[in-house]
Amino acid sequence: MPLAISLVQQSLRFARISAVNILAHARQAQPFAVPSRHRAKFSVKAALLCGTIWFLSGCGGGGNNVLPKINLTSTVAVGSKSGTMIVGSQQQFTATATFQDGTTQDVTALASWSSSAPGIATINLNGVATAVSQGSANIVATFNTITGTTALTVQTPAPAPTPTPSATPTSQPAPVSLGVAPGNQSIPLGTSQQFVATEHFSDGSTKDVSATVTWSSSSASVATISGSGLAHSVSVGSTTIAASLGTLNGSVTFAVGAAALKFVSINPSNSSIAVGTSQKFTATGAFTDGSTQDLSSSITWSSSNSAVVSVDNSGKATAKGQGNATVNATLGQVQGSAAIKITPASLVGVVVTPQSLSLAAGTSHQLTAMGTFSDSTTQDLTASVTWSSSSASATISSSGLLHAVSSGSATITATLNTTSTSTAVIVTPASLVSITLGPVNLSVALGTIQQLLATGVFSDGSTQIINSEINWLSSSPLVGIVDSLGVVKALSVGTTTITASVGSITASIVVNATAAVLNTIVVTSNLVNLAAGTVTNLVATGIFSDSTTQDITALVHWASSNPAVGLVSNALNSLGVVSALVPGLTNITATLGTTVGSISITVTPAILTSIDLGPSVVSLLLGTSQALTAIGHFSDGTLQDISSAVTWASSNINAVTVTAAGLISAVIGSANATISATLNGITGVTVVNVPNALVSISINATVSTLAAGTSLQLSAIGHFSDGSTQDISASVAWSSSGPSTLIINALGQITGLLAGGPITVSATFGGVTGTSVFTVSNATLQSITVTPVTTTLAILQPTIQFHAIGHFSDGSTQDITAQVVWSSSSPLLVIISNLLNSIGLATGLNLGDVTITATLGNISGTATVHSLL
């Protein structure tokens, strides 16, 4: 009776511990191999089930079969039935953890097992030892960095006694019952339990018959059991483990609970940061069922030495003083740790990018602070420095986000300890003056869509695409509707006026919804022969009954006749992208309604022989970026752009970084790096030089006088102290001064408004400015010349670029390629693009002669294309 009471008390205590642990997991949203929306209530049920099973275990018998434990003074006790084994036999060991509150728990399934002498005895993950040869060994169990041991002696079997012929045979004791141990066990999902079968005889003796009985589980979906009595959990639930030997039977109830947290790993596991900087740690929990989960937000973070490093609730460690410390992540009784070293490296300098900035009032820009330390390491200090502004014209947040408030100037300073640096900001009074909408003379076929572009013209002459800031309105929604981003859809035949407004500033454009029906879909590609492992982009152009054309790439459904050879994407960010997989032929179709267009793509077995990177040598201004291109040379003589397929790398990431798309960025000045692109063991390289200092800026332009109503693209060339040059048009701040007869946008495109001048255009970066003077004339367009005037075009081969040159009344000429409307006399033979990124590009479709026309206002120019095989 005392033994039964003791077992009841132990069972209730274990049930309490299990319930508390599981409820703690539920409160902290820990995974138990069930859907997240059911985890909390499942954990409560699991706790109640676990307590009930262990209560019944103590009251319902089987207690005499529990394996005895070795009582050690350490926090993890290792036990077994006996400290002695016979060579060739097996024995189950158990591990019992004692916690700070005096409670204990069986952690056999959670501990890591090892043997000090595997040649004497081995032990598996479940604590089952196998005797190998005569001798002694220590069996070791480690749980949550705490270790317990017990001694084991392995003996050889004693020789069997020689029977005496004259001995009188004695009667054998009769088998009485079959016992199964441990009784009424519960383990976490993903772990195993070794069961032992003991045969009891009439004379009180016993015999271990685990290897000879027939084992079974009443519910294999909950747990399975091997022929040696090793049960493996499959799912949460309860089953009966039974053993049979002849007419004898024995069984116990076996419960599988929710997966338990086994260990916590911290990343990075070993780090070194400078005093005053920070390091973000993440904690990943591994559970007994093999699952993992990011526990960073629910873990309890701590530092072993808060004077050296502190850790907040998100796992962000802040270095306070030189030395070593351990960052700990604790959940319940499980803890992970990581080493962190705080170095004495002193901050040498901080660089803020961009080095100069011009913003319109009401806009924002993110600044970056990069620190260089005395040990030559660099670190992003944007979140660590203290940001400040010298003027109310601009404010800056603690994260370095600059907001332009009102016109004026400000000095933005970044300070860390005693080191500081600054950048100049000019805030223009830029207010929205007008809105321009395009494209003009827009016709949209029923059921199709067209993207409108709203360009805001500001009082400082700058321009900006402001589609997302516009209030869009259609005067006749039954004819055409427009969404919040300016996409128009034609619903019925007629006209509607689309109005774009911001406050009191408005603009409008007339859209014709035509009854034109889609007659033909033309699918084009720059490449129709692809090497396996490469990609190409397809474009679907719709030709309608009124001879108009539209890019309908985003409207069609793409399909491949042989996806195993070439797979085509319908994903939003990769529409019409074909991936060449294995050599062969596939037909790619584009379908809209009942109209289908197609193109044949051949995937060749061509082997990549070399990679060229462009440009081959790059001078990159500090704080700027540039995209590289990787061109693959194949064994069949073809060339392909493989920029998205290669693996990019930098030899010096402290000087120049490179993204997975090949975008390089200069991090520090007076340095260089080799950028490599590798595919299938083939590598191409280019050298990137970040020069010492920017000396001057020159502005390049084809003309100095432009006609009112026309535009001209400028470029800014940086000249450096090492003699190198670089196109820095995208990095400079563009501005103009003088009569308001000319405006310039952020990309360096100037547009003449009214006749007048001279107007000085400036390009500024890092305190260095380059200028150029322009005049706007009242010259009128007289004629347009299209080049090339006559050309041949092979069907479905790389497109030919046409240019439109305008001739004005004052005798001047300008490239107006981007301003004219391009058209083809027969889109079924040759199509020509009016899209922003491919304007004036012609592609041959069928044999014949076609006239290409460029029109601006009522002036046109033509060219002839002979489309050949």
Side-chain angles (χ1 to χ4, degrees), residues 15 73 78 129 209 336 359 383 423 463 570 659 753 758:
T73 58
V78 181
V209 290
L359 289 178
T423 186
T463 62
N570 280 286
T659 68
L753 302 178

Side-chain angles (χ1 to χ4, degrees), residues 463-487:
T463 62
Q464 185 178 343
I465 300 299
I466 56 174
N467 276 44
S468 61
E469 302 172 34
I470 289 290
N471 291 317
W472 296 93
L473 182 67
S474 171
S475 65
S476 181
L478 295 178
V479 174
I481 56 174
V482 60
D483 69 9
S484 60
L485 294 178
V487 177

Side-chain angles (χ1 to χ4, degrees), residues 644-786:
S644 60
V646 298
T647 299
W648 294 94
S650 170
S651 66
N652 185 359
I653 59 174
N654 290 326
V656 180
T657 61
V658 61
T659 68
L663 181 68
I664 56 174
S665 300
V667 179
I668 60 174
S670 186
N672 58 66
T674 299
I675 304 299
S676 62
T678 303
L679 180 63
N680 298 335
I682 306 298
T683 300
V685 298
T686 186
V687 177
V688 178
N689 176 53
V690 184
N692 290 326
L694 179 64
V695 176
S696 63
I697 299 174
S698 60
I699 297 177
N700 286 355
T702 55
V703 295
S704 59
T705 299
L706 69 159
T710 64
S711 299
L712 180 66
Q713 180 63 54
L714 307 181
S715 61
I717 306 300
H719 301 263
F720 298 92
S721 56
D722 61 356
S724 63
T725 61
Q726 181 189 344
D727 188 332
I728 57 174
S729 303
S731 302
V732 299
W734 294 95
S735 61
S736 65
S737 62
S740 299
T741 58
L742 176 149
I743 60 173
I744 184 167
N745 66 15
L747 299 178
Q749 184 185 64
I750 59 176
T751 300
L753 302 178
L754 299 170
I759 303 101
T760 300
V761 172
S762 301
T764 303
F765 188 90
V768 180
T769 300
T771 62
S772 187
V773 177
F774 296 90
T775 301
V776 179
S777 73
N778 58 7
T780 57
L781 182 64
Q782 301 295 303
S783 63
I784 298 174
T785 300
V786 177

Side-chain angles (χ1 to χ4, degrees), residues 508-600:
S508 61
I509 188 172
V510 176
V511 175
N512 296 312
T514 70
V517 295
L518 181 63
N519 286 339
T520 307
I521 297 176
V522 176
V523 180
T524 56
S525 171
N526 285 339
L527 294 170
V528 293
N529 295 303
L530 296 178
T534 62
V535 299
T536 190
N537 295 308
L538 302 183
V539 175
T541 301
I543 302 176
F544 293 85
S545 57
D546 59 358
S547 297
T548 61
T549 61
Q550 281 182 234
D551 185 331
I552 57 173
T553 303
L555 300 178
V556 301
H557 176 75
W558 295 96
S560 171
S561 65
N562 194 348
V565 172
L567 189 64
V568 64
S569 173
N570 280 286
L572 187 62
N573 60 348
S574 57
L575 284 167
V577 175
V578 176
S579 299
L581 303 179
V582 297
L585 179 67
T586 184
N587 193 45
I588 306 298
T589 57
T591 304
L592 183 59
T594 58
T595 307
V596 180
S598 65
I599 188 173
S600 293

Side-chain angles (χ1 to χ4, degrees), residues 789-814:
V789 177
T790 303
T791 188
T792 57
L793 189 62
I795 296 175
L796 297 180
Q797 291 303 306
T799 55
I800 290 179
Q801 175 68 62
F802 283 92
H803 293 274
I805 306 300
H807 301 265
F808 293 86
S809 58
D810 61 355
S812 64
T813 59
Q814 279 182 234

Side-chain angles (χ1 to χ4, degrees), residues 50-90:
C50 183
T52 302
I53 293 173
W54 276 91
F55 179 82
L56 294 175
S57 172
C59 297
N64 293 330
N65 293 326
V66 176
L67 298 176
K69 310 293 188 296
I70 296 177
N71 296 319
L72 300 181
T73 58
S74 62
T75 56
V76 175
V78 181
S80 66
K81 293 190 299 180
S82 172
T84 303
M85 294 178 64
I86 302 301
V87 172
S89 65
Q90 290 186 324

Side-chain angles (χ1 to χ4, degrees), residues 347 349-353 368-372 378-382 667-668:
L347 183 64
V350 177
V351 176
V352 175
T353 55
T368 301
M370 185 67 67
T372 302
T378 60
Q379 189 173 343
D380 189 337
L381 303 179
T382 305
V667 179
I668 60 174

Side-chain angles (χ1 to χ4, degrees), residues 73 111 125-126 250 253 409 449 457 576 580 710 734:
T73 58
L125 297 176
N126 300 300
T253 300
S409 62
I449 61 175
V457 180
T710 64
W734 294 95

